[in-house]
Coordinates of all heavy atoms in Angstrom, one line a residue:
M99 N -75.5 34.4 -12.7 CA -74.2 34.4 -12.0 C -73.2 33.5 -12.8 O -73.2 32.3 -12.7 CB -74.4 33.9 -10.6 CG -73.1 33.8 -9.8 SD -73.3 33.1 -8.2 CE -73.9 34.5 -7.3
H100 N -72.4 34.2 -13.5 CA -71.4 33.5 -14.3 C -70.4 32.8 -13.5 O -69.9 31.7 -13.8 CB -70.7 34.5 -15.3 CG -71.5 35.2 -16.2 ND1 -72.2 34.5 -17.2 CD2 -71.9 36.4 -16.4 CE1 -72.9 35.3 -18.0 NE2 -72.7 36.5 -17.5
E101 N -70.1 33.3 -12.3 CA -69.1 32.8 -11.4 C -69.4 31.4 -11.0 O -68.6 30.5 -11.0 CB -68.8 33.7 -10.2 CG -68.2 35.0 -10.5 CD -69.1 36.1 -11.0 OE1 -70.3 35.8 -11.1 OE2 -68.6 37.2 -11.3
H102 N -70.7 31.2 -10.6 CA -71.2 29.9 -10.2 C -71.1 28.8 -11.3 O -70.6 27.7 -11.1 CB -72.6 29.9 -9.6 CG -73.1 28.6 -9.1 ND1 -72.7 28.1 -8.0 CD2 -74.1 27.8 -9.6 CE1 -73.3 26.9 -7.8 NE2 -74.1 26.7 -8.8
S103 N -71.5 29.2 -12.5 CA -71.4 28.3 -13.6 C -69.9 27.9 -13.9 O -69.6 26.8 -14.2 CB -72.0 28.9 -14.9 OG -73.4 29.1 -14.6
L104 N -69.0 28.9 -13.9 CA -67.6 28.7 -14.2 C -67.0 27.8 -13.1 O -66.2 26.9 -13.4 CB -66.9 30.0 -14.3 CG -65.5 30.0 -14.8 CD1 -65.4 29.3 -16.2 CD2 -64.9 31.3 -14.9
A105 N -67.4 28.1 -11.9 CA -66.8 27.2 -10.8 C -67.3 25.8 -11.0 O -66.5 24.8 -10.8 CB -67.3 27.7 -9.4
K106 N -68.5 25.5 -11.4 CA -69.0 24.2 -11.6 C -68.3 23.5 -12.8 O -68.0 22.4 -12.8 CB -70.5 24.2 -11.9 CG -71.4 24.3 -10.6 CD -72.8 24.3 -11.0 CE -73.2 22.9 -11.4 NZ -74.7 22.7 -11.6
E107 N -68.0 24.4 -13.8 CA -67.3 23.9 -15.0 C -65.9 23.4 -14.7 O -65.4 22.4 -15.3 CB -67.3 25.0 -16.1 CG -66.8 24.5 -17.4 CD -66.9 25.6 -18.4 OE1 -67.9 26.4 -18.5 OE2 -65.9 25.8 -19.2
I108 N -65.2 24.2 -13.9 CA -63.7 23.9 -13.7 C -63.5 22.9 -12.5 O -62.4 22.4 -12.4 CB -62.9 25.1 -13.5 CG1 -63.3 25.9 -12.3 CG2 -62.9 26.0 -14.8 CD1 -62.4 27.1 -12.0
W109 N -64.5 22.7 -11.7 CA -64.4 21.8 -10.5 C -63.8 20.4 -10.9 O -62.9 20.0 -10.2 CB -65.7 21.7 -9.8 CG -65.8 20.8 -8.6 CD1 -66.7 19.9 -8.4 CD2 -64.9 20.8 -7.5 NE1 -66.4 19.3 -7.2 CE2 -65.3 19.8 -6.6 CE3 -63.7 21.5 -7.2 CZ2 -64.6 19.4 -5.5 CZ3 -63.0 21.2 -6.0 CH2 -63.5 20.2 -5.2
P110 N -64.3 19.7 -11.9 CA -63.8 18.4 -12.3 C -62.3 18.5 -12.6 O -61.5 17.6 -12.3 CB -64.6 18.0 -13.5 CG -65.9 18.7 -13.4 CD -65.5 20.0 -12.8
Q111 N -61.9 19.6 -13.3 CA -60.4 19.7 -13.7 C -59.6 19.9 -12.4 O -58.5 19.4 -12.3 CB -60.2 20.9 -14.7 CG -60.7 20.5 -16.1 CD -62.2 20.9 -16.3 OE1 -62.8 21.4 -15.4 NE2 -62.6 20.7 -17.5
L112 N -60.1 20.7 -11.5 CA -59.3 20.9 -10.3 C -59.1 19.6 -9.5 O -58.0 19.3 -9.0 CB -60.1 21.9 -9.4 CG -60.1 23.4 -9.9 CD1 -61.0 24.2 -9.0 CD2 -58.7 24.0 -9.9
Q113 N -60.2 18.8 -9.4 CA -60.1 17.5 -8.8 C -59.1 16.6 -9.5 O -58.4 15.9 -8.8 CB -61.5 16.9 -8.7 CG -62.5 17.6 -7.8 CD -63.9 17.0 -7.9 OE1 -64.4 16.9 -8.9 NE2 -64.4 16.6 -6.7
Q114 N -59.2 16.6 -10.8 CA -58.3 15.8 -11.6 C -56.8 16.2 -11.4 O -55.9 15.3 -11.3 CB -58.7 15.9 -13.1 CG -58.1 14.9 -14.0 CD -58.6 15.0 -15.4 OE1 -58.9 16.0 -15.9 NE2 -58.9 13.8 -16.0
I115 N -56.5 17.5 -11.4 CA -55.2 17.9 -11.2 C -54.7 17.5 -9.8 O -53.6 17.0 -9.6 CB -55.1 19.5 -11.3 CG1 -55.3 19.8 -12.8 CG2 -53.7 20.0 -10.8 CD1 -55.5 21.3 -13.0
A116 N -55.5 17.7 -8.8 CA -55.1 17.3 -7.4 C -54.8 15.8 -7.3 O -53.8 15.4 -6.8 CB -56.3 17.6 -6.4
A117 N -55.7 15.0 -8.0 CA -55.5 13.5 -8.0 C -54.2 13.2 -8.7 O -53.4 12.3 -8.2 CB -56.7 12.8 -8.6
S118 N -53.9 13.8 -9.8 CA -52.7 13.5 -10.6 C -51.4 13.9 -9.8 O -50.4 13.3 -10.0 CB -52.7 14.2 -12.0 OG -52.5 15.6 -11.8
K119 N -51.5 14.9 -8.9 CA -50.4 15.3 -8.1 C -50.3 14.5 -6.8 O -49.4 14.8 -6.0 CB -50.5 16.8 -7.8 CG -50.3 17.7 -9.1 CD -50.5 19.2 -8.7 CE -49.1 19.6 -8.2 NZ -49.0 21.1 -8.1
G120 N -51.3 13.7 -6.6 CA -51.3 12.9 -5.3 C -51.7 13.7 -4.1 O -51.4 13.3 -3.0
L121 N -52.5 14.8 -4.3 CA -52.9 15.6 -3.2 C -54.2 15.2 -2.6 O -55.2 15.0 -3.3 CB -53.0 17.1 -3.7 CG -51.8 17.8 -4.3 CD1 -52.1 19.2 -4.8 CD2 -50.7 17.8 -3.3
V122 N -54.2 14.9 -1.3 CA -55.4 14.5 -0.6 C -56.1 15.8 -0.1 O -57.3 15.9 0.0 CB -55.1 13.6 0.6 CG1 -56.3 13.2 1.4 CG2 -54.4 12.3 0.0
R123 N -55.2 16.8 0.4 CA -55.7 18.0 0.9 C -55.1 19.2 0.1 O -53.8 19.2 0.0 CB -55.4 18.1 2.3 CG -55.7 19.5 2.9 CD -56.2 19.4 4.3 NE -56.2 20.7 5.0 CZ -56.9 21.8 4.6 NH1 -57.7 21.7 3.5 NH2 -56.9 22.9 5.2
V124 N -55.9 20.0 -0.5 CA -55.4 21.2 -1.3 C -55.4 22.4 -0.4 O -56.5 22.7 0.2 CB -56.2 21.3 -2.6 CG1 -55.8 22.6 -3.3 CG2 -56.0 20.1 -3.5
T125 N -54.3 23.1 -0.3 CA -54.3 24.3 0.5 C -54.3 25.6 -0.2 O -54.5 26.7 0.3 CB -53.0 24.3 1.4 OG1 -51.9 24.1 0.6 CG2 -53.1 23.1 2.4
C126 N -53.9 25.6 -1.5 CA -53.8 26.8 -2.3 C -54.1 26.5 -3.8 O -53.6 25.5 -4.3 CB -52.4 27.4 -2.2 SG -52.1 28.8 -3.2
V127 N -54.9 27.4 -4.4 CA -55.1 27.3 -5.9 C -55.0 28.7 -6.4 O -55.5 29.7 -5.8 CB -56.5 26.8 -6.2 CG1 -56.8 26.8 -7.7 CG2 -56.8 25.4 -5.6
E128 N -54.2 28.8 -7.5 CA -54.0 30.1 -8.1 C -54.5 30.0 -9.6 O -54.1 29.0 -10.2 CB -52.6 30.6 -8.1 CG -52.2 31.0 -6.7 CD -50.8 31.6 -6.6 OE1 -50.2 31.9 -7.7 OE2 -50.4 31.9 -5.5
M129 N -55.2 31.0 -10.1 CA -55.8 30.9 -11.4 C -55.6 32.3 -12.1 O -55.6 33.3 -11.4 CB -57.2 30.6 -11.4 CG -57.5 29.2 -10.8 SD -59.3 28.9 -10.7 CE -59.8 29.1 -12.4
T130 N -55.6 32.3 -13.4 CA -55.7 33.5 -14.2 C -56.9 33.3 -15.1 O -57.0 32.3 -15.8 CB -54.4 33.6 -15.1 OG1 -53.3 33.7 -14.2 CG2 -54.5 34.9 -16.0
V131 N -57.8 34.3 -15.1 CA -59.0 34.2 -15.9 C -59.1 35.5 -16.7 O -58.9 36.6 -16.2 CB -60.2 34.1 -14.9 CG1 -61.5 34.1 -15.7 CG2 -60.1 32.9 -14.0
G132 N -59.5 35.3 -18.0 CA -59.7 36.4 -18.9 C -60.9 37.1 -18.6 O -62.0 36.5 -18.3
M133 N -60.9 38.5 -18.7 CA -62.1 39.3 -18.4 C -63.3 39.0 -19.3 O -64.4 39.3 -18.9 CB -61.7 40.7 -18.3 CG -61.3 41.4 -19.6 SD -62.6 42.0 -20.7 CE -63.4 43.2 -19.7
L134 N -63.1 38.4 -20.5 CA -64.2 38.2 -21.4 C -65.1 37.1 -20.9 O -66.2 36.9 -21.4 CB -63.7 37.9 -22.8 CG -62.9 39.0 -23.5 CD1 -62.4 38.6 -24.8 CD2 -63.8 40.3 -23.6
H135 N -64.7 36.4 -19.8 CA -65.6 35.4 -19.2 C -66.7 36.1 -18.4 O -67.6 35.5 -18.0 CB -64.8 34.4 -18.3 CG -64.0 33.4 -19.0 ND1 -64.6 32.3 -19.6 CD2 -62.7 33.3 -19.3 CE1 -63.6 31.6 -20.2 NE2 -62.5 32.2 -20.0
G136 N -66.5 37.4 -18.1 CA -67.5 38.2 -17.4 C -67.6 37.9 -16.0 O -68.7 37.9 -15.4
V137 N -66.5 37.5 -15.3 CA -66.6 37.1 -13.9 C -65.8 38.1 -13.1 O -64.8 38.7 -13.5 CB -66.1 35.7 -13.6 CG1 -67.0 34.7 -14.4 CG2 -64.7 35.5 -14.0
S138 N -66.1 38.2 -11.8 CA -65.4 38.9 -10.8 C -64.5 37.9 -10.0 O -65.0 36.9 -9.7 CB -66.4 39.6 -9.9 OG -65.8 39.8 -8.6
A139 N -63.3 38.3 -9.8 CA -62.3 37.4 -9.0 C -62.9 37.1 -7.7 O -62.9 36.0 -7.2 CB -61.0 38.1 -8.9
D140 N -63.5 38.1 -7.0 CA -64.0 37.9 -5.6 C -65.2 36.9 -5.7 O -65.3 36.0 -4.8 CB -64.4 39.2 -5.0 CG -63.3 40.1 -4.6 OD1 -62.2 39.6 -4.5 OD2 -63.5 41.3 -4.5
F141 N -66.1 37.1 -6.6 CA -67.3 36.2 -6.7 C -66.9 34.8 -7.1 O -67.5 33.9 -6.6 CB -68.3 36.8 -7.6 CG -69.0 38.0 -7.1 CD1 -69.5 39.0 -8.0 CD2 -69.3 38.2 -5.7 CE1 -70.1 40.1 -7.5 CE2 -69.9 39.3 -5.3 CZ -70.3 40.3 -6.1
L142 N -65.9 34.7 -8.0 CA -65.4 33.4 -8.4 C -64.8 32.7 -7.2 O -65.0 31.5 -7.0 CB -64.5 33.4 -9.6 CG -64.0 32.1 -10.2 CD1 -65.2 31.2 -10.5 CD2 -63.2 32.4 -11.4
E143 N -64.0 33.4 -6.5 CA -63.3 32.8 -5.3 C -64.4 32.3 -4.3 O -64.3 31.2 -3.8 CB -62.4 33.8 -4.6 CG -61.2 34.1 -5.3 CD -60.4 35.3 -4.8 OE1 -60.6 35.6 -3.6 OE2 -59.5 35.8 -5.5
H144 N -65.5 33.1 -4.1 CA -66.6 32.7 -3.3 C -67.3 31.5 -3.8 O -67.6 30.6 -3.0 CB -67.6 33.9 -3.2 CG -68.7 33.7 -2.3 ND1 -68.6 33.7 -0.9 CD2 -70.0 33.4 -2.6 CE1 -69.8 33.4 -0.4 NE2 -70.7 33.2 -1.4
S145 N -67.6 31.4 -5.1 CA -68.2 30.3 -5.7 C -67.4 29.0 -5.5 O -67.9 27.9 -5.3 CB -68.6 30.5 -7.1 OG -69.5 31.6 -7.3
L146 N -66.1 29.1 -5.7 CA -65.2 28.0 -5.6 C -65.2 27.5 -4.1 O -65.2 26.3 -3.8 CB -63.8 28.3 -6.1 CG -63.7 28.3 -7.6 CD1 -62.3 28.9 -8.0 CD2 -63.8 27.0 -8.2
G147 N -65.2 28.5 -3.2 CA -65.3 28.1 -1.8 C -66.5 27.3 -1.5 O -66.4 26.3 -0.7
H148 N -67.7 27.6 -2.1 CA -68.8 26.7 -1.9 C -68.6 25.3 -2.5 O -69.1 24.3 -1.9 CB -70.1 27.4 -2.5 CG -70.6 28.5 -1.7 ND1 -71.2 28.3 -0.4 CD2 -70.6 29.8 -1.9 CE1 -71.6 29.4 0.1 NE2 -71.2 30.4 -0.8
A149 N -68.0 25.3 -3.7 CA -67.8 24.0 -4.4 C -66.8 23.1 -3.5 O -66.9 21.9 -3.5 CB -67.2 24.2 -5.8
F150 N -65.9 23.8 -2.8 CA -64.9 23.1 -2.0 C -65.4 22.5 -0.7 O -64.8 21.6 -0.1 CB -63.7 24.0 -1.7 CG -62.9 24.4 -2.9 CD1 -61.9 25.4 -2.7 CD2 -63.1 23.9 -4.1 CE1 -61.2 25.8 -3.8 CE2 -62.3 24.3 -5.2 CZ -61.4 25.3 -5.0
E151 N -66.6 22.9 -0.3 CA -67.1 22.5 1.0 C -67.3 21.0 1.1 O -67.8 20.4 0.2 CB -68.5 23.2 1.3 CG -68.4 24.6 1.6 CD -69.7 25.3 1.8 OE1 -70.8 24.7 1.6 OE2 -69.7 26.5 2.0
G152 N -66.8 20.4 2.2 CA -66.9 19.0 2.4 C -65.9 18.1 1.6 O -66.1 16.9 1.5
T153 N -64.9 18.8 1.0 CA -63.9 18.1 0.1 C -62.5 18.3 0.6 O -62.3 19.1 1.6 CB -64.0 18.5 -1.3 OG1 -63.5 19.8 -1.5 CG2 -65.5 18.5 -1.9
G154 N -61.6 17.7 0.0 CA -60.2 18.0 0.4 C -59.7 19.4 0.0 O -58.6 19.7 0.3
F155 N -60.5 20.1 -0.7 CA -60.2 21.5 -1.0 C -60.7 22.5 0.0 O -60.4 23.7 -0.1 CB -60.8 21.9 -2.4 CG -60.1 21.3 -3.6 CD1 -60.2 20.0 -3.9 CD2 -59.3 22.1 -4.4 CE1 -59.6 19.5 -5.0 CE2 -58.7 21.6 -5.5 CZ -58.8 20.3 -5.8
E156 N -61.6 22.1 0.9 CA -62.2 23.0 1.9 C -61.1 23.8 2.6 O -60.2 23.2 3.1 CB -63.1 22.2 2.8 CG -63.9 23.1 3.7 CD -65.0 22.4 4.5 OE1 -65.0 21.2 4.5 OE2 -65.8 23.1 5.1
G157 N -61.3 25.1 2.7 CA -60.4 26.0 3.4 C -59.2 26.4 2.6 O -58.4 27.2 3.0
A158 N -59.1 25.9 1.3 CA -58.0 26.3 0.5 C -58.0 27.8 0.2 O -59.1 28.4 0.0 CB -58.0 25.5 -0.8
V159 N -56.8 28.4 0.1 CA -56.7 29.8 -0.3 C -56.8 29.8 -1.8 O -56.2 29.0 -2.5 CB -55.3 30.4 0.2 CG1 -55.1 31.7 -0.4 CG2 -55.2 30.4 1.7
V160 N -57.7 30.7 -2.3 CA -57.9 30.8 -3.8 C -57.5 32.2 -4.2 O -58.0 33.2 -3.6 CB -59.4 30.5 -4.1 CG1 -59.6 30.6 -5.6 CG2 -59.8 29.1 -3.7
N161 N -56.6 32.3 -5.1 CA -56.1 33.6 -5.7 C -56.4 33.6 -7.1 O -55.9 32.7 -7.9 CB -54.7 33.8 -5.4 CG -54.3 33.9 -3.9 OD1 -55.0 34.7 -3.2 ND2 -53.3 33.2 -3.5
I162 N -57.3 34.5 -7.6 CA -57.6 34.6 -9.0 C -57.2 36.0 -9.5 O -57.5 37.0 -8.9 CB -59.1 34.4 -9.2 CG1 -59.5 33.0 -8.7 CG2 -59.5 34.6 -10.6 CD1 -61.0 32.7 -8.6
T163 N -56.5 36.0 -10.6 CA -56.1 37.2 -11.3 C -57.0 37.3 -12.6 O -57.0 36.3 -13.4 CB -54.6 37.2 -11.7 OG1 -53.9 37.0 -10.4 CG2 -54.2 38.5 -12.4
V164 N -57.7 38.4 -12.8 CA -58.4 38.6 -14.0 C -57.6 39.5 -14.9 O -57.1 40.5 -14.5 CB -59.8 39.2 -13.7 CG1 -60.5 39.6 -15.0 CG2 -60.6 38.3 -12.8
V165 N -57.4 39.1 -16.2 CA -56.6 39.8 -17.1 C -57.4 40.3 -18.3 O -58.4 39.7 -18.7 CB -55.4 39.0 -17.6 CG1 -54.4 38.7 -16.5 CG2 -55.9 37.7 -18.3
D166 N -57.1 41.5 -18.7 CA -57.8 42.1 -19.8 C -57.1 41.7 -21.1 O -55.9 41.5 -21.1 CB -57.7 43.7 -19.7 CG -58.5 44.2 -18.5 OD1 -59.5 43.6 -18.2 OD2 -58.0 45.2 -17.9
P167 N -57.8 41.8 -22.3 CA -57.1 41.5 -23.6 C -56.0 42.5 -23.8 O -56.1 43.7 -23.5 CB -58.2 41.7 -24.6 CG -59.5 41.5 -23.8 CD -59.2 42.0 -22.4
G168 N -54.8 41.9 -24.2 CA -53.6 42.7 -24.4 C -52.7 42.9 -23.2 O -51.6 43.3 -23.3
Q169 N -53.2 42.6 -22.0 CA -52.4 42.7 -20.8 C -51.4 41.6 -20.8 O -51.7 40.4 -21.1 CB -53.4 42.6 -19.6 CG -52.7 42.7 -18.3 CD -53.6 42.6 -17.1 OE1 -54.8 42.8 -17.3 NE2 -53.1 42.4 -15.9
E170 N -50.2 41.9 -20.3 CA -49.2 40.9 -20.2 C -49.3 40.3 -18.8 O -49.6 41.0 -17.8 CB -47.8 41.5 -20.4 CG -47.5 41.8 -21.8 CD -46.1 42.1 -22.1 OE1 -45.3 42.3 -21.1 OE2 -45.7 42.2 -23.3
Y171 N -49.0 39.0 -18.7 CA -49.0 38.3 -17.4 C -48.0 37.2 -17.4 O -47.6 36.7 -18.5 CB -50.4 37.7 -17.1 CG -50.9 36.6 -18.0 CD1 -50.7 35.3 -17.7 CD2 -51.5 36.9 -19.2 CE1 -51.1 34.3 -18.6 CE2 -51.9 36.0 -20.1 CZ -51.7 34.6 -19.8 OH -52.1 33.7 -20.7
D172 N -47.5 36.8 -16.3 CA -46.5 35.7 -16.2 C -47.2 34.4 -16.1 O -48.2 34.2 -15.3 CB -45.6 35.9 -14.9 CG -44.8 37.2 -15.0 OD1 -44.3 37.5 -16.2 OD2 -44.6 37.9 -14.0
L173 N -46.6 33.4 -16.8 CA -47.1 32.0 -16.8 C -46.0 31.2 -16.2 O -44.9 31.2 -16.7 CB -47.5 31.6 -18.2 CG -48.1 30.2 -18.3 CD1 -49.5 30.2 -17.7 CD2 -48.3 29.9 -19.8
P174 N -46.3 30.5 -15.0 CA -45.3 29.7 -14.4 C -44.7 28.7 -15.4 O -45.4 28.1 -16.3 CB -46.1 28.9 -13.3 CG -47.2 29.8 -13.0 CD -47.6 30.4 -14.3
G175 N -43.4 28.5 -15.4 CA -42.7 27.6 -16.2 C -42.2 28.2 -17.6 O -41.6 27.5 -18.4
T176 N -42.5 29.5 -17.7 CA -42.0 30.2 -18.9 C -41.3 31.4 -18.5 O -41.5 32.0 -17.5 CB -43.2 30.6 -19.9 OG1 -44.0 31.6 -19.2 CG2 -44.1 29.4 -20.3
D177 N -40.3 31.8 -19.4 CA -39.5 33.0 -19.1 C -40.1 34.3 -19.8 O -39.8 35.4 -19.3 CB -38.1 32.8 -19.6 CG -37.4 31.7 -18.8 OD1 -37.7 31.5 -17.6 OD2 -36.5 31.1 -19.4
D178 N -40.9 34.1 -20.8 CA -41.5 35.2 -21.5 C -42.9 35.5 -21.0 O -43.7 34.6 -20.8 CB -41.5 34.9 -23.0 CG -40.2 34.7 -23.6 OD1 -39.2 35.4 -23.2 OD2 -40.0 33.9 -24.5
P179 N -43.2 36.8 -20.8 CA -44.5 37.2 -20.4 C -45.5 36.8 -21.6 O -45.2 36.8 -22.7 CB -44.5 38.7 -20.2 CG -43.2 39.2 -20.7 CD -42.3 38.0 -21.0
Q180 N -46.7 36.4 -21.2 CA -47.8 36.1 -22.1 C -48.7 37.3 -22.3 O -48.8 38.1 -21.4 CB -48.6 34.9 -21.6 CG -47.8 33.7 -21.2 CD -47.1 33.1 -22.4 OE1 -47.8 32.7 -23.3 NE2 -45.8 33.0 -22.4
T181 N -49.3 37.4 -23.5 CA -50.2 38.5 -23.7 C -51.6 37.9 -23.7 O -51.9 36.9 -24.5 CB -50.0 39.1 -25.1 OG1 -48.6 39.6 -25.1 CG2 -50.9 40.3 -25.4
A182 N -52.5 38.4 -22.9 CA -53.8 37.9 -22.7 C -54.7 38.1 -23.9 O -54.6 39.2 -24.6 CB -54.5 38.5 -21.5
N183 N -55.6 37.2 -24.3 CA -56.6 37.4 -25.3 C -57.9 37.6 -24.7 O -58.9 37.9 -25.4 CB -56.6 36.2 -26.3 CG -57.0 34.9 -25.6 OD1 -57.7 34.9 -24.6 ND2 -56.7 33.8 -26.2
G184 N -58.0 37.5 -23.4 CA -59.3 37.8 -22.6 C -60.1 36.5 -22.3 O -61.0 36.6 -21.6
W185 N -59.7 35.4 -22.9 CA -60.4 34.1 -22.7 C -59.6 33.1 -21.9 O -60.0 32.0 -21.8 CB -60.8 33.5 -24.0 CG -61.9 34.3 -24.7 CD1 -61.8 35.1 -25.8 CD2 -63.3 34.4 -24.3 NE1 -63.0 35.7 -26.1 CE2 -63.9 35.3 -25.2 CE3 -64.0 33.8 -23.3 CZ2 -65.3 35.6 -25.1 CZ3 -65.4 34.1 -23.2 CH2 -66.0 35.0 -24.1
E186 N -58.6 33.6 -21.2 CA -57.8 32.7 -20.4 C -58.6 32.0 -19.3 O -59.5 32.6 -18.8 CB -56.6 33.5 -19.7 CG -55.5 33.9 -20.6 CD -55.9 35.0 -21.6 OE1 -56.9 35.7 -21.3 OE2 -55.3 35.2 -22.6
L187 N -58.2 30.8 -19.1 CA -58.7 30.0 -17.9 C -57.6 29.1 -17.5 O -57.6 27.9 -17.9 CB -60.0 29.3 -18.3 CG -60.8 28.6 -17.2 CD1 -61.1 29.6 -16.1 CD2 -62.1 28.0 -17.7
L188 N -56.7 29.6 -16.7 CA -55.5 28.9 -16.4 C -55.4 28.6 -14.9 O -55.5 29.5 -14.1 CB -54.2 29.7 -16.9 CG -54.2 30.1 -18.3 CD1 -53.1 31.2 -18.5 CD2 -54.0 29.0 -19.2
I189 N -55.2 27.4 -14.6 CA -54.9 27.0 -13.2 C -53.3 26.9 -13.2 O -52.7 26.1 -13.7 CB -55.5 25.6 -12.9 CG1 -57.0 25.7 -13.1 CG2 -55.1 25.2 -11.5 CD1 -57.7 24.4 -13.2
S190 N -52.8 28.0 -12.5 CA -51.3 28.1 -12.6 C -50.6 27.5 -11.3 O -49.4 27.4 -11.4 CB -51.0 29.6 -12.7 OG -51.6 30.4 -11.7
K191 N -51.3 27.2 -10.3 CA -50.7 26.7 -9.1 C -51.7 25.9 -8.3 O -52.8 26.4 -8.1 CB -50.1 27.9 -8.3 CG -49.3 27.5 -7.0 CD -48.8 28.7 -6.4 CE -48.1 28.4 -5.1 NZ -47.6 29.6 -4.4
M192 N -51.2 24.8 -7.7 CA -52.0 24.0 -6.8 C -51.1 23.4 -5.8 O -50.1 22.7 -6.2 CB -52.9 23.0 -7.5 CG -53.8 22.2 -6.5 SD -54.8 21.0 -7.3 CE -55.9 21.9 -8.3
E193 N -51.3 23.7 -4.5 CA -50.4 23.2 -3.5 C -51.3 22.4 -2.4 O -52.4 22.7 -2.3 CB -49.7 24.3 -2.8 CG -48.7 25.0 -3.6 CD -48.0 26.1 -2.9 OE1 -48.5 26.6 -1.9 OE2 -46.9 26.5 -3.3
G194 N -50.6 21.5 -1.8 CA -51.3 20.8 -0.7 C -50.4 19.7 -0.2 O -49.2 19.6 -0.4
E195 N -51.1 18.7 0.3 CA -50.4 17.5 0.9 C -51.1 16.2 0.5 O -52.3 16.2 0.2 CB -50.2 17.6 2.4 CG -51.5 18.1 3.1 CD -51.3 18.5 4.5 OE1 -50.4 19.3 4.8 OE2 -52.1 18.1 5.3

């Protein structure tokens, strides 16, 4: 299950981003993941939900977009569309209080 491993791998970064933004409770996380990671958006959302249990992330809405190599996608903070290489792992939005 690649999704579980990937969720465990990015969990420290998610916590670090929340701390740097001063968020005690996270309500929304959006990510873009390249398809070459071999994960399903639904399964990764489910795995992150398990990682979030008992933390300030519990109950957060998680939206994951999987992009194919060559596909264009929008990156917050830029005006030009980006072209995916398939290995993206971008946390594009985190909201909370």
Side-chain angles (χ1 to χ4, degrees):
M99 178 184 279
H100 298 295
E101 292 83 2
H102 182 69
S103 297
L104 189 57
K106 281 181 70 174
E107 183 178 322
I108 62 174
W109 177 231
Q111 287 89 359
L112 290 171
Q113 291 173 305
Q114 192 173 39
I115 291 167
S118 72
K119 293 179 83 168
L121 300 176
V122 176
R123 172 144 168 61
V124 173
T125 57
C126 177
V127 176
E128 291 185 5
M129 299 176 60
T130 300
V131 178
M133 66 84 61
L134 296 177
H135 286 282
V137 297
S138 154
D140 291 339
F141 289 147
L142 183 54
E143 289 172 16
H144 180 78
S145 293
L146 286 169
H148 283 292
F150 293 173
E151 290 176 357
T153 73
F155 283 76
E156 188 167 9
V159 173
V160 179
N161 295 312
I162 298 172
T163 301
V164 176
V165 293
D166 295 323
Q169 181 179 343
E170 288 191 349
Y171 65 96
D172 293 324
L173 185 63
T176 65
D177 293 331
D178 296 324
Q180 305 295 302
T181 302
N183 63 23
W185 289 107
E186 287 70 22
L187 188 54
L188 306 167
I189 301 162
S190 54
K191 181 178 179 183
M192 184 179 291
E193 294 179 339
E195 45 193 46

